[in-house]
Amino acid sequence: MSASALFTGDRASGLTVTLLLGLAVVVPLLNLLLPQESMFALSSYSVSLLGKYLCYALLALALDLLWGYAGLLSLGHGAFFALGGYAMGMYLMRQIGSRGVYGDPELPDFMIFLDWQELPWYWLGFDSFPFAMAMALLIPGILALVFGWLAFRSRVGGVYFSIMTQAMTFALMLAFFRNEMGFGGNNGLTDFKDVLGFDLQSDAVRCGLFVVTALTLLGSYLACRKMLTTRFGSVIIALRDGESRVRFLGYSVASYKLVVFVISAMLAGLAGALYVPQVGIINPGEFAPLNSIEIAIWVAVGGRGTLHGAMLGAVIIAAAETLLTAQLPELWLFALGALFLLVTLFLPRGFAGLLGGRHDD
């Protein structure tokens, strides 16, 4: 597929690209240029909220690449998302320096409170933004590499793979709840001040983070589409549809699965790194198994195996959760379950089916 075809290959793809580019331009303008009393003005809170939705869309894209195209349902992608978020959170904590409650230039406040005497070795280097971003990608990638290598070489797949990934994120959640781990325990990491020397509370920085998130999502979407048009993409789709035939033809099934699993995990880590500065906190709750299940629901409701459908599902469900939990929080889980059932019964291709476009493009 040529570069131009990536933008014009089908209506849904073109809409996705146009919408993301439009959001990257319009949202900052509505926030920064219009007076607050204008009915078209967008508050800084809304900008951060939209940025959070786009981070979820990137996370759904990561899972759809793995589940929709390679047929591997991970119920542990929340762990990769949280690890990327913690990497960014550690950088932001190091930027606080002596402006913390206890005024220590090296140790974060929670370490002073817990009587830590020195910075743990695994916090070293996180005062550097490039290092932290590299870790946001590498740590989820390495975890996926080790976990996937053990699983795929043993030919673990199907529901067993899903259960194992769910157990992985549950174990990580329990570990990160421990104060001895040095990640803030139950409270996690918060009270961030600035990023790259810019005030996180300023409108311009919030808009900048939104633009970076929108463009990152766009780039990831196009990169995934491009990858799926290559021979590698054809093989992983074939794995989903007939693994034994692919193995019979001489392909290394475990290697292909491992590569797509690592790429998907790194995308999830990137989503987590973009998420934390916009919401201002990362804690062990992000590892909760329920979060990973909800990511799978985003993809299923939006349309598995489409990429744009998964992104759409994440945004729609996250927005619905924001609205409904503010008014009728006790009904949210029932509404989510009902939506999942209705889409499964009447929209087998999810919301993406309403937009048209091709599967497995």
Side-chain angles (χ1 to χ4, degrees):
M1 178 177 287
S2 66
S4 60
L6 286 173
F7 291 87
T8 59
D10 59 64
R11 186 180 64 166
S13 175
L15 282 173
T16 304
V17 172
T18 303
L19 181 60
L20 287 174
L21 287 175
L23 285 174
V25 173
V26 172
V27 168
L29 292 179
L30 294 180
N31 176 254
L32 296 175
L33 297 184
L34 295 183
Q36 290 299 313
E37 57 271 17
S38 170
M39 63 180 295
F40 298 108
L42 204 59
S43 69
S44 294
Y45 169 77
S46 299
V47 172
S48 295
L49 192 62
L50 291 173
K52 184 177 78 168
Y53 294 162
L54 294 189
C55 291
Y56 288 160
L58 180 55
L59 179 57
L61 177 77
L63 182 62
D64 194 29
L65 179 67
L66 182 69
W67 184 27
Y69 290 91
L72 294 166
L73 173 56
S74 166
L75 293 180
H77 259 47
F80 304 128
F81 178 80
L83 288 172
Y86 265 97
M88 177 56 75
M90 291 165 74
Y91 162 75
L92 295 174
M93 291 297 287
R94 294 297 307 276
Q95 298 308 299
I96 296 175
S98 58
R99 291 173 293 173
V101 175
Y102 298 103
D104 192 294
E106 287 292 328
L107 297 182
D109 283 342
F110 76 88
M111 289 188 182
I112 301 291
F113 181 77
L114 295 172
D115 202 25
W116 287 66
Q117 300 302 313
E118 60 182 15
L119 203 64
W121 63 267
Y122 46 83
W123 275 74
L124 299 177
F126 278 95
D127 54 343
S128 165
F129 181 79
F131 179 83
M133 284 304 300
M135 290 300 104
L137 295 173
L138 288 177
I139 293 173
I142 292 172
L143 175 61
L145 180 68
V146 174
F147 184 92
W149 184 77
L150 293 171
F152 300 139
R153 71 189 293 267
S154 303
R155 297 192 179 185
V156 173
V159 68
Y160 299 104
F161 177 76
S162 303
I163 292 172
M164 286 176 60
T165 52
Q166 183 89 143
M168 175 191 71
T169 192
F170 184 66
L172 285 170
M173 183 186 71
L174 295 180
F176 274 73
F177 265 120
R178 295 169 57 87
N179 288 329
E180 295 84 352
M181 287 284 289
F183 296 109
N186 182 57
N187 295 321
L189 309 177
T190 188
D191 195 28
F192 308 132
K193 307 293 187 190
D194 50 38
V195 57
L196 293 172
F198 298 102
D199 183 5
L200 275 172
Q201 302 306 317
S202 74
D203 293 344
V205 171
R206 288 173 185 253
C207 289
L209 288 168
F210 176 84
V211 171
V212 169
T213 305
L215 295 181
T216 301
L217 177 59
L218 175 60
S220 301
Y221 171 70
L222 293 177
C224 288
R225 282 180 57 85
K226 179 65 178 175
M227 184 177 69
L228 291 168
T229 63
T230 65
R231 179 180 178 184
F232 173 79
S234 300
V235 173
I236 65 169
I237 293 171
L239 279 175
R240 178 196 64 188
D241 297 335
E243 181 176 326
S244 58
R245 295 181 181 179
V246 175
R247 182 176 287 109
F248 178 77
L249 291 172
Y251 288 96
S252 174
V253 170
S255 297
Y256 279 91
K257 285 184 175 179
L258 189 58
V259 171
V260 73
F261 187 41
V262 170
I263 293 173
S264 178
M266 293 175 75
L267 282 175
L270 180 60
L274 292 168
Y275 169 85
V276 168
Q278 297 185 83
V279 301
I281 188 173
I282 179 72
N283 61 41
E286 297 295 341
F287 288 100
L290 185 61
N291 288 0
S292 293
I293 294 173
E294 191 167 325
I295 299 166
I297 294 176
W298 296 345
V299 176
V301 169
R304 184 163 71 98
T306 60
L307 298 181
H308 59 269
M311 295 157 57
L312 180 65
V315 172
I316 288 176
I317 293 179
E321 183 176 8
T322 300
L323 294 173
L324 198 57
T325 52
Q327 304 297 326
L328 300 166
E330 66 278 5
L331 294 182
W332 166 241
L333 288 179
F334 294 102
L336 182 62
L339 178 64
F340 180 69
L341 286 175
L342 289 173
V343 170
T344 302
L345 291 174
F346 300 108
L347 292 173
R349 292 184 60 190
F351 288 126
L354 300 175
L355 298 176
R358 299 167 296 178
H359 280 239
D360 303 342
D361 43 359

